[in-house]
Amino acid sequence: MKKALAALGFGTFALGIAEFGMMGILSDVASGVGVSIVRGGHFITAYSAGVAVGAPALIFLRRWPLKRLMLLLAALITLGNLLAALSPGYLSLLCSRFISGLPHGAFFGAGAIVAERLAPPGQQAKAVAVMVGGMTIANVVGVPLGTFVANALSWRFTFGGVALCGLTALIGIRGWLPYLAPLPDTGLKGQFRFLRNPGPWLIYTGVFFGQGAVYCWLSYVDPAMTLVAGFPLPAMSWIMVVIGLGMVAGNALAGALADRFKASKVTMWIAVLTMFVMAAVWYFAASKAISVALAFVAAACLFGIGGPLQYLIVRYAKGGEMLGGAGIQIAFNVSNAVSSAVGGAVIQSGLGYSAPALAGVPFALIAAIALCILSAKYTPANL
C-alpha cells in the first residue's frame, strides 16, 4: 500500500508544481515567449480551464479499471508538461498548459477512491491525506526549487522537471498499484444522482469558502509581508517555505484526526479556527514574528479543511464517486479565482495590504456554518 500511495503522491507533487509553480516564474515565462506579464497570466487561466474541463470528463471513463485510469492521467501530466517545456511560442504554451490542467481534478478525484480502497479499515482519511500530501510537499520543495531552476537555467527545465515527476508517477503506478476493478456503473444520469442530496453541496460549500478564506490573504501574501510586516523581498523565499510546511502539517494532522473523529466535525472546527486566525493575521500584520507564525497556522487550516473533505465526498457521492472527488478540485480552483478577486477589490478600496485577511473571516464563517449543518444533520455516525 505504501509504495502505491507514494506513486500517487508523486502525481500530486507534479500537479502541485504545475499549478502553483507558474506564479513564481511567470515573469521568466512571459519574457521567454515574448508577451507581457498580464498576457502571460493567461497561462494560469489556461491551466484552471483544463481542470474545469478534465474533471467532469471522468464520467466518460467510468467503466475503466482504476489502475488504467490512473495510468492515463499520469501520462497526461507527463505529456502536458513536456509539451510546455518544448513550446516555441505563446499559443503552443497556452495549449500545453490547458493539457497540463486536464488530469488535475481527475487525478485527485480518482486517486481519492484508489487511496481509500488501498487503506486498511479506519485509515482511509489518512491514506487520502498521503495522496494529497504530494501537493503540500510541492509547495515546500518543488515550487521553490522550480523557481530557482527557472532563474538559474530556464523555465523550460522547470516544466521538464514536472514532466519527469509525472513519468515517475506513471512508472510507480504501473509497478506498484494493484488491479482495481471499475466502480459499479450507474449510467450517465446515475453519475449526477448524488447531487440531489444536501450533503455533497455542503461539502463543496465548505471547500469553496473554507479555502477561499485563506486565499483572500494568501494571494497577496507578498505585499502583506514586505510592505506591511517589513520583510525584505528576498525573505519571501523562506516565508513561502514556512507556508508550505504549514500545508504539510495541516494536511497530515487533519487526516489523522478525521480517522479518529468525524471528518465533518474536524473540518468544522478547523473552519472555526480559520475565522480567528484570519482576524489575527490582519490585527498582527505589522509584527514580523507573529505574522510568520500565523502564516504557518493559516496554511495548515487551508489544507486541514481540504484534505478530509476530499476523502468525505467519496462517501457522499455514491454512484458518482469520481465525479464527486473531481468536483472538490473544481470548487478549489474557482474559489482561488473568486477569493483572489475579493482580496484585490479590498486592496483597491484603500483598506491596505493586510485587509484581505479580514475579508477571509466571513468566508470562514460560511464554511463553518455549512460544515456544522453537515456534521449535525447529514453525517452518519461513522463519518
Side-chain angles (χ1 to χ4, degrees):
M1 182 192 79
K2 291 182 178 179
K3 288 183 178 180
L5 290 178
L8 297 180
F10 263 105
T12 59
F13 180 81
L15 291 170
I17 305 174
E19 181 177 20
F20 295 107
M22 178 61 82
M23 300 171 188
I25 64 174
L26 183 58
S27 299
D28 291 333
V29 175
S31 175
V33 295
V35 298
S36 67
I37 291 179
V38 173
R39 197 176 181 197
H42 295 162
F43 299 136
I44 297 175
T45 304
Y47 188 92
S48 296
V51 176
V53 172
L58 271 178
I59 61 174
F60 299 108
L61 303 177
R62 63 187 184 276
R63 297 176 182 174
W64 281 29
L66 290 171
K67 181 174 181 176
R68 185 196 301 176
L69 177 60
M70 298 309 296
L71 286 171
L72 171 65
L73 297 174
L76 279 175
I77 295 172
T78 305
L79 175 63
N81 286 283
L82 181 61
L83 291 174
L86 301 175
S87 295
Y90 170 77
L91 186 59
S92 58
L93 182 54
L94 197 68
C95 294
S96 299
R97 287 290 291 171
F98 177 80
I99 294 172
S100 299
L102 286 174
H104 186 111
F107 194 96
F108 276 92
I113 298 169
V114 171
E116 186 187 23
R117 284 195 174 189
L118 293 175
Q123 297 185 31
Q124 290 93 339
K126 186 183 293 185
V128 174
V130 170
M131 180 203 67
V132 175
M135 175 169 280
T136 66
I137 296 173
N139 281 280
V140 178
V141 180
V143 172
L145 181 60
T147 302
F148 173 79
V149 169
N151 293 333
L153 300 172
S154 167
W155 56 268
R156 296 184 184 277
F157 286 97
T158 301
F159 286 121
V162 178
L164 184 60
C165 290
L167 180 61
T168 303
L170 178 65
I171 295 171
I173 290 170
R174 182 177 181 182
W176 294 331
L177 192 67
Y179 173 83
L180 295 171
L183 294 171
D185 185 15
T186 58
L188 190 60
K189 290 183 178 179
Q191 297 293 306
F192 296 90
R193 193 170 292 127
F194 72 95
L195 293 173
R196 296 177 182 176
N197 303 312
W201 291 108
L202 291 168
I203 291 174
Y204 290 142
T205 301
V207 169
F208 183 93
F209 287 100
Q211 305 210 319
V214 179
Y215 261 94
C216 284
W217 159 80
L218 189 58
S219 300
Y220 303 95
V221 64
D222 187 335
M225 290 293 184
T226 57
L227 301 179
V228 182
F231 284 101
L233 189 58
M236 283 307 301
S237 296
W238 65 262
I239 290 173
M240 293 307 295
V241 171
V242 170
I243 290 172
L245 289 171
M247 294 177 181
V248 173
N251 178 65
L253 180 60
L257 290 174
D259 277 327
R260 186 172 181 182
F261 305 101
K262 289 171 63 174
S264 54
K265 186 171 290 186
V266 169
T267 53
M268 177 197 73
W269 283 114
I270 294 175
V272 171
L273 175 62
T274 303
M275 284 193 296
F276 293 99
V277 170
M278 298 319 298
V281 167
W282 168 77
Y283 187 79
F284 293 104
S287 170
K288 288 184 178 180
I290 298 178
S291 62
V292 171
L294 288 171
F296 177 90
V297 179
C301 291
L302 176 70
F303 272 80
I305 291 176
L309 292 182
Q310 182 80 58
Y311 150 75
L312 202 58
I313 190 65
V314 175
R315 297 297 190 91
Y316 277 80
K318 294 302 181 184
E321 288 90 346
M322 286 193 291
L323 182 62
I328 291 283
Q329 294 302 310
I330 296 176
F332 180 58
N333 278 269
V334 174
S335 175
N336 291 354
V338 172
S339 57
S340 177
V342 170
V346 168
I347 293 172
Q348 288 182 333
S349 70
L351 294 176
Y353 289 109
S354 61
L358 200 59
V361 173
F363 273 66
L365 175 60
I366 295 172
I369 292 172
L371 294 171
C372 179
I373 297 171
L374 176 71
S375 179
K377 295 189 65 176
Y378 298 103
T379 303
N382 63 333
L383 292 180

